[in-house]
Amino acid sequence: MVRVAEEWFAVCGGCEVSILDIGEPLLDLLPSLEFVHMPVLMDHKLFGQTGEKKHMEIPEADVGIVTGSIRNQENKELAEEMRRKCKIIISLGSCANFGGIPALGNMYNNAEIFDMAYRKTASTEAGDNPSQGLPALTDRVYSVNEVIKVDVSIPGCPPTPEWIAGALTSLLQGKSFSLPEKSVCDDCPTVREKKAKVAIRRPLQPAEFTPGRYDNMRCMNEQGILCLGPATRTGCGGSEKTPRCIKAYMPCRGCYGPIRAGANPMVDMMGALSSVGLDPKQIEDRMATFNRFIGAGRLRPMPAR
Ligand code: SF4
Ligand code: SF4
Ligand code: SF4
């Protein structure tokens, strides 16, 4: 029996839904797994069932699954406790692996974020920063692997359930688990003519397509609809291959992160757009757009505005 602990940090909960979305294959895996800690499913208290302990404690486990980015001191201490108690750590989802959407906050310092949240938003009655009973924010948003050693990374926002099942099955069988080093474009069935027919259009403009068909739909970028497929790791389509957003006639937003470690999606995207005759300078917020899911360690506070 493999003991599994799961913890979430700065998350939306979608990665946990993806675990449950494994569906029937989860029934095959469950007899071999014993979940010893998973806040989203079970009432296991961090400070003991009656609050008697002084420090947060997680039971020992063979596999620890962590989701979410590190946004405050409690997230950081929990990540360190997971590392102490679990033999193998799986970081699940783009928040855990690259900072995800929360790391867009790295374009601002904490004082600016508090100002916007508690004083400058039009619908907010101005007040002081909350100070009691809350963990302090870290200086910026971190990915989990910036804080603790990670053994297996599964990106995606959320990760496809097939990948989660694949990683757990590989671990149970003592095999290694690796990710494809190909781009979303490599699995995309759309038609490419290597030349854009219009300039980049406003976000959320609908693509031209025939319902039920992907193979006669023109590439989104060539339709002037910004698609981050060229600089994003493939895999979201699972065994069917066709990327998840393309199946919904929508462009890729880059949620699986860079194709390989060390890649720079911003540079890759500038090259991909230029190669079909599009001008990347048309995209006003290039830093945020090209680093939307991967801002930990990449995005920095902008100069004073
Ligand atoms: S990776 Fe996406 S689905 Fe998972 S916690 Fe972050 S925002 Fe939610
Ligand atoms: S840019 Fe987007 S639409 Fe075009 S081939 Fe790549 S993934 Fe498909
Ligand atoms: S197409 Fe892109 S944004 Fe959509 S799920 Fe796949 S990797 Fe994520």
Side-chain angles (χ1 to χ4, degrees):
M1 188 69 79
V2 173
R3 289 165 62 87
V4 180
E6 202 267 0
E7 253 303 337
W8 50 2
F9 308 131
V11 283
C12 75
C15 285
E16 280 69 20
V17 173
S18 238
I19 296 176
L20 301 179
D21 260 0
I22 292 174
E24 281 190 26
L26 186 58
L27 299 179
D28 296 333
L29 289 166
L30 281 179
S32 314
L33 306 177
E34 183 193 355
F35 282 89
V36 294
H37 176 82
M38 189 173 191
V40 73
L41 280 185
M42 53 205 279
D43 183 24
H44 177 260
K45 305 273 194 291
L46 289 167
F47 289 90
Q49 290 308 100
T50 55
E52 72 279 10
K53 298 199 172 155
K54 293 228 165 1
H55 302 285
M56 290 188 285
E57 272 186 33
I58 288 166
E60 299 211 338
D62 301 298
V63 176
I65 302 174
V66 293
T67 65
S69 49
I70 307 293
R71 171 72 279 197
N72 62 38
Q73 290 300 333
E74 183 183 276
N75 300 153
K76 185 166 179 285
E77 284 169 31
L78 269 175
E80 289 164 351
E81 170 69 354
M82 284 292 280
R83 182 67 275 183
R84 274 191 293 274
K85 297 292 177 65
C86 305
K87 292 179 191 147
I88 294 171
I89 290 283
I90 301 177
S91 64
L92 187 66
S94 293
C95 291
N97 284 289
F98 317 118
I101 293 295
L104 283 171
N106 285 351
M107 296 179 79
Y108 304 88
N109 62 41
N110 286 350
E112 289 175 299
I113 290 172
F114 276 123
D115 255 359
M116 183 54 76
Y118 293 106
R119 287 172 287 281
K120 290 192 177 161
T121 311
S123 57
T124 300
E125 199 171 311
D128 296 334
N129 297 346
S131 58
Q132 301 214 329
L134 290 172
L137 292 192
T138 42
D139 60 330
R140 66 170 172 88
V141 175
Y142 291 81
S143 60
V144 173
N145 68 2
E146 289 182 291
V147 172
I148 58 168
K149 178 175 170 287
V150 165
D151 303 293
V152 180
S153 301
I154 308 177
C157 181
T160 182
E162 256 185 72
W163 278 32
I164 306 172
L168 288 173
T169 307
S170 302
L171 283 174
L172 288 174
Q173 295 172 347
K175 296 180 185 162
S176 60
F177 174 78
S178 59
L179 309 169
E181 289 201 344
K182 292 193 304 178
S183 75
V184 170
C185 296
D186 289 324
D187 283 333
C188 179
T190 58
V191 178
R192 276 154 273 186
E193 296 183 12
K194 298 193 173 152
K195 188 160 177 34
K197 52 181 192 176
V198 286
I200 297 171
R201 294 153 67 193
R202 293 185 61 193
L204 301 182
Q205 292 293 310
E208 288 170 21
F209 62 91
T210 311
R213 298 277 306 270
Y214 311 110
D215 55 346
N216 69 352
M217 178 167 75
R218 184 86 177 265
C219 164
M220 297 280 177
N221 277 334
E222 294 184 12
Q223 290 195 43
I225 296 170
L226 182 66
C227 179
L228 268 60
T232 303
R233 190 193 290 270
T234 190
C236 58
S239 47
E240 280 181 44
K241 299 276 188 208
T242 302
R244 205 158 50 186
C245 296
I246 301 298
K247 260 197 237 169
Y249 314 106
M250 294 293 288
C252 172
R253 296 150 303 122
C255 85
Y256 265 60
I259 296 165
R260 62 186 64 82
N264 186 334
M266 179 149 167
V267 172
D268 294 346
M269 271 311 298
M270 306 272 257
L273 294 176
S274 303
S275 74
V276 293
L278 293 171
D279 180 6
K281 293 207 185 80
Q282 262 191 279
I283 305 159
E284 285 182 20
D285 54 349
R286 292 186 288 282
M287 280 303 282
T289 301
F290 295 141
N291 293 291
R292 186 182 290 163
F293 293 90
I294 57 173
R298 291 178 192 260
L299 293 175
R300 302 265 180 280
M302 296 179 288
R305 289 161 287 273

